[in-house]
Structure formats: structure tokens, C-alpha cells
Amino acid sequence: MRAAGFAGIDNTEALAEGWQVTDFADAGRRSLANLVKRTGAPAVMVSFLDSDVGFIEALTPDGNSWEGLLNRETAKSYEIPLEHFPIEPAVAGALAWSAAAGLTPDEEAIRQTLTGSALFVEELSSALMIALGLPGAT
């Protein structure tokens, strides 16, 4: 991950079937693309704003990508333009990303994470990983 442009790597949790979740402090502008290129595997990244809002980016090796936003109601208080993060394209993108990754997604659960709210956005991020079908995600 360091070679891909991630910094402040703190903790990595191994999941089933070779998947992993890694905490990091910062990512460069092309870090996600670099990681996918280096590993040849799909990846999803959630960047947190004060544990209040999560910005999702996901990419597959064939270039399919999607973006989303977690904790939309809280995002309004930060004056984040919600129209830049429409829900239906994010749901469709998440489903396509998950299928390309060989996972079995739960469409309704994905929609719930993208429209739901939580005191700490990390809770929605964890729920999203489960909804995307990451094996062993909790």
C-alpha cells in the first residue's frame, strides 16, 4: 500500500479469501488506482471526515469505478453537495463492482448504508463491506 501512495498505515485485518481491511491516515490522488494496478484486484476505499461522513471510491482492474457518500444527513451540515453523490448510480456501481470482484452483494443492504445514518460513520462503512459481500467482513 505504501508503494501505491498510502501513508500512515496503521492496522490491517485479514478477511477470508484473501481480502483485507486496512486503516490508513492518508492517500494520494491516485492511490486507489495505483493499488488496483499493482495488485490486479478490485479495491474499495472509504475516506472519513471526523467520523461523521464517509466518501467511498471503488475500482476494478478493468477500470469500472463508482463513488458514494455515507451519512448523507450529517454531510448536509458540512455543506457537502449531495447532488454530487446520487444514490441510484452508487447502488448500481456497487452491485457491478461486487459482481466483478466475484462477490455476492445485498442490494437492499447497500441502499440502506448509502441512505442510512449513524452516530459514527465507521458503522455504516462496516455495514457497506458486509453488504458488498466481502467474505469475513464484520
Side-chain angles (χ1 to χ4, degrees):
M1 287 188 66
R2 282 180 185 81
F6 291 88
I9 297 168
D10 185 33
N11 182 38
T12 297
E13 176 187 355
L15 302 178
E17 300 176 27
W19 288 92
Q20 65 183 29
V21 175
T22 301
D23 295 332
F24 57 90
D26 194 27
R29 187 170 180 270
R30 301 228 356 108
S31 295
L32 184 65
N34 292 339
L35 180 66
V36 170
K37 184 177 179 180
R38 286 178 162 280
T39 63
V44 60
M45 177 174 75
V46 181
S47 302
F48 299 109
L49 175 61
D50 294 333
S51 287
D52 292 332
V53 178
F55 299 92
I56 309 158
E57 296 177 62
L59 184 64
T60 62
D62 63 2
N64 288 328
S65 65
W66 67 279
E67 296 179 330
L69 183 68
L70 297 173
N71 237 6
R72 296 175 75 80
E73 285 302 313
T74 303
K76 279 192 223 176
S77 69
Y78 282 94
E79 298 181 3
I80 295 169
L82 300 184
E83 66 274 9
H84 291 175
F85 301 95
I87 293 168
E88 291 310 313
V91 171
L95 292 170
W97 178 92
S98 185
L103 304 174
T104 304
D106 179 334
E107 181 175 353
E108 187 54 35
I110 289 170
R111 185 172 274 100
Q112 287 175 353
T113 63
L114 295 174
T115 59
S117 62
L119 181 58
F120 298 105
V121 73
E122 290 85 352
E123 296 170 25
L124 291 173
S125 178
S126 293
L128 177 64
M129 298 306 137
I130 294 167
L132 289 171
L134 267 75
T138 58

